[in-house]
Amino acid sequence: MTHPETTSVLGRDGVELQLTDIWRRLLGRDDVGIHDDFFSLGGHSLLAIKLTVEVRRLFQVDLTAADLLSAATVAELAEIVRGGTARRQGQLVRVQQGSGGSPVYALPPVSGTVLLYPPIARAMGLDQPFWALQSLGLLPGEEPLSSLEEIAEHFIEQLRTVHPDGAPWNLIGYSMGGLLAYEIARRLRERGERVGLVGLLDTRITVEPSGDPDFALRALLWRGLRLELDVDWLRGLDPGTRAQVLVERAVAAGTMPADFDADRLRRMIDMYQHNLDALTAYEIKPYDGPVTVFRVTDRSLEDGTLPEDLGWGEVAEQAVVVDVPGDHFTMVEPGQVEVLGRRLREQLDTVSAAAPAS
């Protein structure tokens, strides 16, 4: 959120002045105030990575995506830097405080990160409380959970620490996150709790085991790093060398900052694979409630003809389909995400209006 009365304030001490300078250089704009939100000013996942690298270089403080989302202004981040260490909040991240209504909880895609959700939250309206969860295993020393069921149960425990008493559970998820949202909703409903919106953002009902042992590596190359490299050659490298090579190539291509840590990239690759393994082993069970499928209108990336509801009518009591522009990847990017956010809010309002009072 931007506070007009403080927008012109460029820093009250050395830490804030340096952070403001980083913001201005990364975002390519001069109108940065200490209370402006990084993502609201046009920040995105790659710039967020560059920001964490800059903070580490200047202050020797390691930030995570979760830290940046929970402290997305210069003033808030300066508190972390002055303390000399990033705050640790488990996997739960408050993306947007909002001003009322039941919170929305967003579950992570296969990459495990939550950086795609701030634009969605903003597009839903700044008054909407919005939390996101990142996968266990992205940080040093963390061990990822082995099954989607274990992940869902762990996330429920995390969410209970912030969920308002008596409020309905509104769950959304992009890609793999949709399956997590579904499984969490199913478990909560079995326990007699109120479930509101279950928003599945272009999520298929099942993930077929891939015959390609390098699928996770290819996905990271193509989507994350946007590199065209010989996967057979990469496969022959040991994990440490492979991560270093990918960092060097990505830096040269401009898709990764020069000081990015190869160890962090190796954890990202491992996270892809752990989550894919959990997805392919998941056995879906029926859910006695409705789900809302946000279906892309550009289906040129799809293999064959998929059902309009992506198969969710087979397991859920009802599957409502809502069209959104873009393909599986561009639906969450600028130019398309604004429509996705509005339609998510419309569906949330519809579900809330139809729900019985607690």
Side-chain angles (χ1 to χ4, degrees):
M1 178 181 296
T2 302
H3 299 265
E5 70 276 10
T6 56
T7 297
S8 61
V9 178
L10 299 182
R12 298 166 296 189
D13 63 13
V15 172
E16 288 185 356
L17 285 169
Q18 291 181 85
L19 289 174
T20 301
D21 182 60
I22 295 171
W23 250 249
R24 293 167 66 187
R25 285 188 286 106
L26 291 179
L27 296 168
R29 53 192 299 168
D30 294 327
D31 57 334
V32 177
I34 61 172
H35 297 296
D36 289 334
D37 184 279
F38 179 77
F39 295 96
S40 295
L41 292 179
H44 51 72
S45 57
L46 178 58
L47 288 180
I49 291 173
K50 292 182 177 181
L51 174 58
T52 63
V53 169
E54 284 289 294
V55 169
R56 186 194 317 162
R57 182 179 65 82
L58 283 175
F59 303 108
Q60 292 75 55
V61 174
D62 283 318
L63 300 176
T64 68
D67 295 317
L68 184 54
L69 287 177
S70 64
T73 70
V74 167
E76 291 170 333
L77 196 57
E79 294 182 14
I80 294 178
V81 172
R82 293 187 195 103
T85 181
R87 291 176 288 187
R88 292 289 175 253
Q89 300 179 339
Q91 284 65 59
L92 186 60
V93 180
R94 187 167 72 182
V95 176
Q96 188 167 277
Q97 182 172 355
S99 58
S102 298
V104 166
Y105 303 119
L107 287 307
V110 70
S111 65
T113 67
V114 295
L115 289 173
L116 68 96
Y117 286 120
I120 295 176
R122 289 199 307 276
M124 289 188 73
L126 295 178
D127 63 326
Q128 175 59 54
F130 196 108
W131 295 79
L133 286 145
Q134 69 176 12
S135 292
L136 187 68
L138 282 174
L139 300 179
E142 288 184 347
E143 288 296 325
L145 299 172
S146 60
S147 73
L148 193 137
E149 292 85 353
E150 284 182 305
I151 297 169
E153 201 60 43
H154 175 71
F155 282 165
I156 289 173
E157 293 176 7
Q158 295 267 307
L159 292 172
R160 286 199 190 282
T161 64
V162 298
H163 187 65
D165 290 339
W169 293 82
N170 300 305
L171 304 150
I172 69 170
Y174 169 70
S175 195
M176 168 190 165
L179 283 163
L180 281 166
Y182 176 88
E183 178 62 21
I184 289 173
R186 194 188 66 77
R187 288 169 177 257
L188 291 170
R189 186 98 166 191
E190 279 187 346
R191 297 165 191 177
E193 302 198 39
R194 296 172 62 207
V195 177
L197 177 67
V198 182
L200 313 176
L201 310 188
D202 206 48
T203 300
R204 301 185 188 187
I205 187 173
T206 58
V207 176
E208 297 297 329
S210 173
D212 180 1
D214 301 306
F215 181 81
L217 181 58
R218 292 181 197 275
L220 181 62
L221 283 175
W222 176 39
R223 183 59 188 161
L225 304 180
R226 301 182 184 181
L227 297 176
E228 294 184 9
L229 295 175
D230 186 338
V231 175
D232 290 333
W233 170 66
L234 286 172
R235 189 193 306 119
L237 304 176
D238 67 83
T241 303
R242 182 189 305 132
Q244 188 60 48
V245 166
L246 290 176
V247 168
E248 292 171 358
R249 297 298 179 92
V251 167
T255 56
M256 187 171 284
D259 294 336
F260 195 81
D261 194 314
D263 182 60
R264 186 177 298 186
L265 179 61
R266 188 165 65 248
R267 289 197 300 274
M268 287 172 60
I269 297 172
D270 290 344
M271 194 79 263
Y272 265 81
Q273 192 60 59
H274 279 294
N275 281 336
L276 283 169
D277 290 344
L279 276 175
T280 56
Y282 176 56
E283 295 184 7
I284 198 163
K285 296 179 181 178
Y287 172 61
D288 64 347
V291 300
T292 304
V293 182
F294 293 83
R295 188 78 160 91
V296 294
T297 53
D298 180 352
R299 301 172 187 178
S300 57
L301 298 179
E302 296 179 2
D303 296 327
T305 302
L306 297 172
E308 187 66 16
D309 65 0
L310 294 176
W312 289 101
E314 299 175 15
V315 293
E317 182 180 69
Q318 180 188 16
V320 176
V321 178
V322 176
D323 286 341
V324 292
D327 61 31
H328 181 73
F329 298 117
T330 61
M331 69 182 292
V332 295
E333 294 182 349
Q336 318 284 21
V337 72
E338 296 83 0
V339 178
L340 171 62
R342 288 198 301 270
R343 293 186 181 163
L344 271 165
R345 183 59 181 266
E346 290 167 2
Q347 293 301 310
L348 176 62
D349 291 344
T350 299
V351 169
S352 299
S358 58

